[in-house]
mmCIF file with all atom_site columns, all heavy atoms in Angstrom:
data_model
loop_
_atom_site.group_PDB
_atom_site.id
_atom_site.type_symbol
_atom_site.label_atom_id
_atom_site.label_alt_id
_atom_site.label_comp_id
_atom_site.label_asym_id
_atom_site.label_entity_id
_atom_site.label_seq_id
_atom_site.pdbx_PDB_ins_code
_atom_site.Cartn_x
_atom_site.Cartn_y
_atom_site.Cartn_z
_atom_site.occupancy
_atom_site.B_iso_or_equiv
_atom_site.pdbx_formal_charge
_atom_site.auth_seq_id
_atom_site.auth_comp_id
_atom_site.auth_asym_id
_atom_site.auth_atom_id
_atom_site.pdbx_PDB_model_num
ATOM 1   N N   . THR A 1 43 ? -113.158 -127.987 42.619 1.00 98.00 ? 62 THR A N   1
ATOM 2   C CA  . THR A 1 43 ? -114.590 -128.294 42.715 1.00 98.00 ? 62 THR A CA  1
ATOM 3   C C   . THR A 1 43 ? -114.784 -129.453 43.684 1.00 98.00 ? 62 THR A C   1
ATOM 4   O O   . THR A 1 43 ? -113.847 -130.202 43.967 1.00 98.00 ? 62 THR A O   1
ATOM 5   C CB  . THR A 1 43 ? -115.171 -128.692 41.346 1.00 98.00 ? 62 THR A CB  1
ATOM 6   O OG1 . THR A 1 43 ? -114.543 -129.917 40.917 1.00 98.00 ? 62 THR A OG1 1
ATOM 7   C CG2 . THR A 1 43 ? -114.968 -127.606 40.310 1.00 98.00 ? 62 THR A CG2 1
ATOM 8   N N   . ARG A 1 44 ? -115.992 -129.602 44.155 1.00 96.00 ? 63 ARG A N   1
ATOM 9   C CA  . ARG A 1 44 ? -116.288 -130.729 45.052 1.00 96.00 ? 63 ARG A CA  1
ATOM 10  C C   . ARG A 1 44 ? -116.042 -132.063 44.352 1.00 96.00 ? 63 ARG A C   1
ATOM 11  O O   . ARG A 1 44 ? -115.524 -133.000 44.945 1.00 96.00 ? 63 ARG A O   1
ATOM 12  C CB  . ARG A 1 44 ? -117.733 -130.656 45.536 1.00 96.00 ? 63 ARG A CB  1
ATOM 13  C CG  . ARG A 1 44 ? -117.979 -129.549 46.529 1.00 96.00 ? 63 ARG A CG  1
ATOM 14  C CD  . ARG A 1 44 ? -119.466 -129.516 46.925 1.00 96.00 ? 63 ARG A CD  1
ATOM 15  N NE  . ARG A 1 44 ? -119.722 -128.436 47.843 1.00 96.00 ? 63 ARG A NE  1
ATOM 16  C CZ  . ARG A 1 44 ? -119.830 -128.586 49.161 1.00 96.00 ? 63 ARG A CZ  1
ATOM 17  N NH1 . ARG A 1 44 ? -119.706 -129.777 49.693 1.00 96.00 ? 63 ARG A NH1 1
ATOM 18  N NH2 . ARG A 1 44 ? -120.060 -127.548 49.932 1.00 96.00 ? 63 ARG A NH2 1
ATOM 19  N N   . ALA A 1 45 ? -116.420 -132.153 43.090 1.00 97.00 ? 64 ALA A N   1
ATOM 20  C CA  . ALA A 1 45 ? -116.257 -133.405 42.339 1.00 97.00 ? 64 ALA A CA  1
ATOM 21  C C   . ALA A 1 45 ? -114.784 -133.772 42.193 1.00 97.00 ? 64 ALA A C   1
ATOM 22  O O   . ALA A 1 45 ? -114.403 -134.935 42.356 1.00 97.00 ? 64 ALA A O   1
ATOM 23  C CB  . ALA A 1 45 ? -116.914 -133.285 40.969 1.00 97.00 ? 64 ALA A CB  1
ATOM 24  N N   . LYS A 1 46 ? -113.945 -132.788 41.885 1.00 97.00 ? 65 LYS A N   1
ATOM 25  C CA  . LYS A 1 46 ? -112.513 -133.069 41.737 1.00 97.00 ? 65 LYS A CA  1
ATOM 26  C C   . LYS A 1 46 ? -111.869 -133.428 43.068 1.00 97.00 ? 65 LYS A C   1
ATOM 27  O O   . LYS A 1 46 ? -111.022 -134.320 43.136 1.00 97.00 ? 65 LYS A O   1
ATOM 28  C CB  . LYS A 1 46 ? -111.807 -131.882 41.102 1.00 97.00 ? 65 LYS A CB  1
ATOM 29  C CG  . LYS A 1 46 ? -112.150 -131.720 39.638 1.00 97.00 ? 65 LYS A CG  1
ATOM 30  C CD  . LYS A 1 46 ? -111.448 -130.534 39.037 1.00 97.00 ? 65 LYS A CD  1
ATOM 31  C CE  . LYS A 1 46 ? -111.822 -130.379 37.570 1.00 97.00 ? 65 LYS A CE  1
ATOM 32  N NZ  . LYS A 1 46 ? -111.175 -129.209 36.961 1.00 97.00 ? 65 LYS A NZ  1
ATOM 33  N N   . LEU A 1 47 ? -112.263 -132.754 44.146 1.00 96.00 ? 66 LEU A N   1
ATOM 34  C CA  . LEU A 1 47 ? -111.730 -133.092 45.462 1.00 96.00 ? 66 LEU A CA  1
ATOM 35  C C   . LEU A 1 47 ? -112.169 -134.493 45.863 1.00 96.00 ? 66 LEU A C   1
ATOM 36  O O   . LEU A 1 47 ? -111.374 -135.283 46.379 1.00 96.00 ? 66 LEU A O   1
ATOM 37  C CB  . LEU A 1 47 ? -112.169 -132.077 46.513 1.00 96.00 ? 66 LEU A CB  1
ATOM 38  C CG  . LEU A 1 47 ? -111.667 -132.334 47.934 1.00 96.00 ? 66 LEU A CG  1
ATOM 39  C CD1 . LEU A 1 47 ? -110.143 -132.335 47.992 1.00 96.00 ? 66 LEU A CD1 1
ATOM 40  C CD2 . LEU A 1 47 ? -112.241 -131.317 48.908 1.00 96.00 ? 66 LEU A CD2 1
ATOM 41  N N   . ASP A 1 48 ? -113.413 -134.828 45.601 1.00 96.00 ? 67 ASP A N   1
ATOM 42  C CA  . ASP A 1 48 ? -113.912 -136.167 45.914 1.00 96.00 ? 67 ASP A CA  1
ATOM 43  C C   . ASP A 1 48 ? -113.130 -137.233 45.149 1.00 96.00 ? 67 ASP A C   1
ATOM 44  O O   . ASP A 1 48 ? -112.736 -138.252 45.718 1.00 96.00 ? 67 ASP A O   1
ATOM 45  C CB  . ASP A 1 48 ? -115.403 -136.255 45.582 1.00 96.00 ? 67 ASP A CB  1
ATOM 46  C CG  . ASP A 1 48 ? -115.983 -137.602 45.932 1.00 96.00 ? 67 ASP A CG  1
ATOM 47  O OD1 . ASP A 1 48 ? -115.865 -138.035 47.095 1.00 96.00 ? 67 ASP A OD1 1
ATOM 48  O OD2 . ASP A 1 48 ? -116.573 -138.254 45.031 1.00 96.00 ? 67 ASP A OD2 1
ATOM 49  N N   . ALA A 1 49 ? -112.858 -136.983 43.870 1.00 97.00 ? 68 ALA A N   1
ATOM 50  C CA  . ALA A 1 49 ? -112.087 -137.942 43.065 1.00 97.00 ? 68 ALA A CA  1
ATOM 51  C C   . ALA A 1 49 ? -110.673 -138.090 43.614 1.00 97.00 ? 68 ALA A C   1
ATOM 52  O O   . ALA A 1 49 ? -110.135 -139.202 43.672 1.00 97.00 ? 68 ALA A O   1
ATOM 53  C CB  . ALA A 1 49 ? -112.051 -137.486 41.609 1.00 97.00 ? 68 ALA A CB  1
ATOM 54  N N   . TRP A 1 50 ? -110.059 -136.975 44.039 1.00 95.00 ? 69 TRP A N   1
ATOM 55  C CA  . TRP A 1 50 ? -108.708 -137.040 44.586 1.00 95.00 ? 69 TRP A CA  1
ATOM 56  C C   . TRP A 1 50 ? -108.695 -137.829 45.894 1.00 95.00 ? 69 TRP A C   1
ATOM 57  O O   . TRP A 1 50 ? -107.809 -138.662 46.113 1.00 95.00 ? 69 TRP A O   1
ATOM 58  C CB  . TRP A 1 50 ? -108.157 -135.627 44.821 1.00 95.00 ? 69 TRP A CB  1
ATOM 59  C CG  . TRP A 1 50 ? -106.733 -135.650 45.250 1.00 95.00 ? 69 TRP A CG  1
ATOM 60  C CD1 . TRP A 1 50 ? -105.640 -135.687 44.451 1.00 95.00 ? 69 TRP A CD1 1
ATOM 61  C CD2 . TRP A 1 50 ? -106.253 -135.689 46.597 1.00 95.00 ? 69 TRP A CD2 1
ATOM 62  N NE1 . TRP A 1 50 ? -104.495 -135.729 45.219 1.00 95.00 ? 69 TRP A NE1 1
ATOM 63  C CE2 . TRP A 1 50 ? -104.846 -135.733 46.535 1.00 95.00 ? 69 TRP A CE2 1
ATOM 64  C CE3 . TRP A 1 50 ? -106.868 -135.688 47.834 1.00 95.00 ? 69 TRP A CE3 1
ATOM 65  C CZ2 . TRP A 1 50 ? -104.058 -135.777 47.678 1.00 95.00 ? 69 TRP A CZ2 1
ATOM 66  C CZ3 . TRP A 1 50 ? -106.073 -135.735 48.971 1.00 95.00 ? 69 TRP A CZ3 1
ATOM 67  C CH2 . TRP A 1 50 ? -104.691 -135.775 48.880 1.00 95.00 ? 69 TRP A CH2 1
ATOM 68  N N   . ILE A 1 51 ? -109.662 -137.588 46.764 1.00 95.00 ? 70 ILE A N   1
ATOM 69  C CA  . ILE A 1 51 ? -109.732 -138.313 48.044 1.00 95.00 ? 70 ILE A CA  1
ATOM 70  C C   . ILE A 1 51 ? -109.921 -139.800 47.805 1.00 95.00 ? 70 ILE A C   1
ATOM 71  O O   . ILE A 1 51 ? -109.267 -140.636 48.432 1.00 95.00 ? 70 ILE A O   1
ATOM 72  C CB  . ILE A 1 51 ? -110.841 -137.733 48.945 1.00 95.00 ? 70 ILE A CB  1
ATOM 73  C CG1 . ILE A 1 51 ? -110.442 -136.333 49.417 1.00 95.00 ? 70 ILE A CG1 1
ATOM 74  C CG2 . ILE A 1 51 ? -111.130 -138.654 50.131 1.00 95.00 ? 70 ILE A CG2 1
ATOM 75  C CD1 . ILE A 1 51 ? -111.538 -135.581 50.135 1.00 95.00 ? 70 ILE A CD1 1
ATOM 76  N N   . ARG A 1 52 ? -110.819 -140.158 46.874 1.00 97.00 ? 71 ARG A N   1
ATOM 77  C CA  . ARG A 1 52 ? -111.015 -141.584 46.560 1.00 97.00 ? 71 ARG A CA  1
ATOM 78  C C   . ARG A 1 52 ? -109.734 -142.207 46.027 1.00 97.00 ? 71 ARG A C   1
ATOM 79  O O   . ARG A 1 52 ? -109.386 -143.338 46.384 1.00 97.00 ? 71 ARG A O   1
ATOM 80  C CB  . ARG A 1 52 ? -112.161 -141.765 45.565 1.00 97.00 ? 71 ARG A CB  1
ATOM 81  C CG  . ARG A 1 52 ? -113.525 -141.637 46.235 1.00 97.00 ? 71 ARG A CG  1
ATOM 82  C CD  . ARG A 1 52 ? -114.682 -141.959 45.298 1.00 97.00 ? 71 ARG A CD  1
ATOM 83  N NE  . ARG A 1 52 ? -114.949 -140.752 44.498 1.00 97.00 ? 71 ARG A NE  1
ATOM 84  C CZ  . ARG A 1 52 ? -114.947 -140.707 43.173 1.00 97.00 ? 71 ARG A CZ  1
ATOM 85  N NH1 . ARG A 1 52 ? -114.716 -141.779 42.467 1.00 97.00 ? 71 ARG A NH1 1
ATOM 86  N NH2 . ARG A 1 52 ? -115.194 -139.580 42.536 1.00 97.00 ? 71 ARG A NH2 1
ATOM 87  N N   . GLY A 1 53 ? -109.013 -141.472 45.177 1.00 96.00 ? 72 GLY A N   1
ATOM 88  C CA  . GLY A 1 53 ? -107.744 -141.982 44.647 1.00 96.00 ? 72 GLY A CA  1
ATOM 89  C C   . GLY A 1 53 ? -106.701 -142.162 45.741 1.00 96.00 ? 72 GLY A C   1
ATOM 90  O O   . GLY A 1 53 ? -105.971 -143.155 45.759 1.00 96.00 ? 72 GLY A O   1
ATOM 91  N N   . ALA A 1 54 ? -106.622 -141.204 46.658 1.00 94.00 ? 73 ALA A N   1
ATOM 92  C CA  . ALA A 1 54 ? -105.662 -141.310 47.762 1.00 94.00 ? 73 ALA A CA  1
ATOM 93  C C   . ALA A 1 54 ? -105.982 -142.510 48.643 1.00 94.00 ? 73 ALA A C   1
ATOM 94  O O   . ALA A 1 54 ? -105.085 -143.263 49.045 1.00 94.00 ? 73 ALA A O   1
ATOM 95  C CB  . ALA A 1 54 ? -105.660 -140.028 48.581 1.00 94.00 ? 73 ALA A CB  1
ATOM 96  N N   . LYS A 1 55 ? -107.253 -142.709 48.935 1.00 96.00 ? 74 LYS A N   1
ATOM 97  C CA  . LYS A 1 55 ? -107.655 -143.853 49.758 1.00 96.00 ? 74 LYS A CA  1
ATOM 98  C C   . LYS A 1 55 ? -107.362 -145.178 49.054 1.00 96.00 ? 74 LYS A C   1
ATOM 99  O O   . LYS A 1 55 ? -107.059 -146.173 49.703 1.00 96.00 ? 74 LYS A O   1
ATOM 100 C CB  . LYS A 1 55 ? -109.144 -143.772 50.095 1.00 96.00 ? 74 LYS A CB  1
ATOM 101 C CG  . LYS A 1 55 ? -109.472 -142.737 51.133 1.00 96.00 ? 74 LYS A CG  1
ATOM 102 C CD  . LYS A 1 55 ? -110.965 -142.741 51.440 1.00 96.00 ? 74 LYS A CD  1
ATOM 103 C CE  . LYS A 1 55 ? -111.327 -141.771 52.540 1.00 96.00 ? 74 LYS A CE  1
ATOM 104 N NZ  . LYS A 1 55 ? -112.775 -141.803 52.833 1.00 96.00 ? 74 LYS A NZ  1
ATOM 105 N N   . ALA A 1 56 ? -107.441 -145.183 47.736 1.00 97.00 ? 75 ALA A N   1
ATOM 106 C CA  . ALA A 1 56 ? -107.195 -146.407 46.957 1.00 97.00 ? 75 ALA A CA  1
ATOM 107 C C   . ALA A 1 56 ? -105.707 -146.646 46.700 1.00 97.00 ? 75 ALA A C   1
ATOM 108 O O   . ALA A 1 56 ? -105.336 -147.648 46.104 1.00 97.00 ? 75 ALA A O   1
ATOM 109 C CB  . ALA A 1 56 ? -107.935 -146.315 45.621 1.00 97.00 ? 75 ALA A CB  1
ATOM 110 N N   . GLY A 1 57 ? -104.846 -145.718 47.151 1.00 94.00 ? 76 GLY A N   1
ATOM 111 C CA  . GLY A 1 57 ? -103.407 -145.907 46.992 1.00 94.00 ? 76 GLY A CA  1
ATOM 112 C C   . GLY A 1 57 ? -102.850 -145.436 45.660 1.00 94.00 ? 76 GLY A C   1
ATOM 113 O O   . GLY A 1 57 ? -101.719 -145.755 45.325 1.00 94.00 ? 76 GLY A O   1
ATOM 114 N N   . GLU A 1 58 ? -103.611 -144.670 44.890 1.00 94.00 ? 77 GLU A N   1
ATOM 115 C CA  . GLU A 1 58 ? -103.157 -144.234 43.576 1.00 94.00 ? 77 GLU A CA  1
ATOM 116 C C   . GLU A 1 58 ? -101.922 -143.334 43.611 1.00 94.00 ? 77 GLU A C   1
ATOM 117 O O   . GLU A 1 58 ? -101.233 -143.194 42.612 1.00 94.00 ? 77 GLU A O   1
ATOM 118 C CB  . GLU A 1 58 ? -104.284 -143.509 42.842 1.00 94.00 ? 77 GLU A CB  1
ATOM 119 C CG  . GLU A 1 58 ? -105.420 -144.409 42.430 1.00 94.00 ? 77 GLU A CG  1
ATOM 120 C CD  . GLU A 1 58 ? -106.517 -143.670 41.682 1.00 94.00 ? 77 GLU A CD  1
ATOM 121 O OE1 . GLU A 1 58 ? -106.247 -142.588 41.119 1.00 94.00 ? 77 GLU A OE1 1
ATOM 122 O OE2 . GLU A 1 58 ? -107.644 -144.181 41.674 1.00 94.00 ? 77 GLU A OE2 1
ATOM 123 N N   . PHE A 1 59 ? -101.638 -142.719 44.743 1.00 92.00 ? 78 PHE A N   1
ATOM 124 C CA  . PHE A 1 59 ? -100.514 -141.791 44.845 1.00 92.00 ? 78 PHE A CA  1
ATOM 125 C C   . PHE A 1 59 ? -99.383  -142.328 45.705 1.00 92.00 ? 78 PHE A C   1
ATOM 126 O O   . PHE A 1 59 ? -98.437  -141.607 46.013 1.00 92.00 ? 78 PHE A O   1
ATOM 127 C CB  . PHE A 1 59 ? -101.003 -140.442 45.390 1.00 92.00 ? 78 PHE A CB  1
ATOM 128 C CG  . PHE A 1 59 ? -102.197 -139.905 44.658 1.00 92.00 ? 78 PHE A CG  1
ATOM 129 C CD1 . PHE A 1 59 ? -103.439 -139.837 45.281 1.00 92.00 ? 78 PHE A CD1 1
ATOM 130 C CD2 . PHE A 1 59 ? -102.096 -139.512 43.336 1.00 92.00 ? 78 PHE A CD2 1
ATOM 131 C CE1 . PHE A 1 59 ? -104.543 -139.355 44.599 1.00 92.00 ? 78 PHE A CE1 1
ATOM 132 C CE2 . PHE A 1 59 ? -103.212 -139.027 42.647 1.00 92.00 ? 78 PHE A CE2 1
ATOM 133 C CZ  . PHE A 1 59 ? -104.430 -138.953 43.285 1.00 92.00 ? 78 PHE A CZ  1
#
Side-chain angles (χ1 to χ4, degrees):
T62 64
R63 288 178 182 260
K65 289 180 181 179
L66 180 60
D67 182 55
W69 186 86
I70 291 171
R71 283 186 278 124
K74 286 181 177 181
E77 291 181 22
F78 310 111

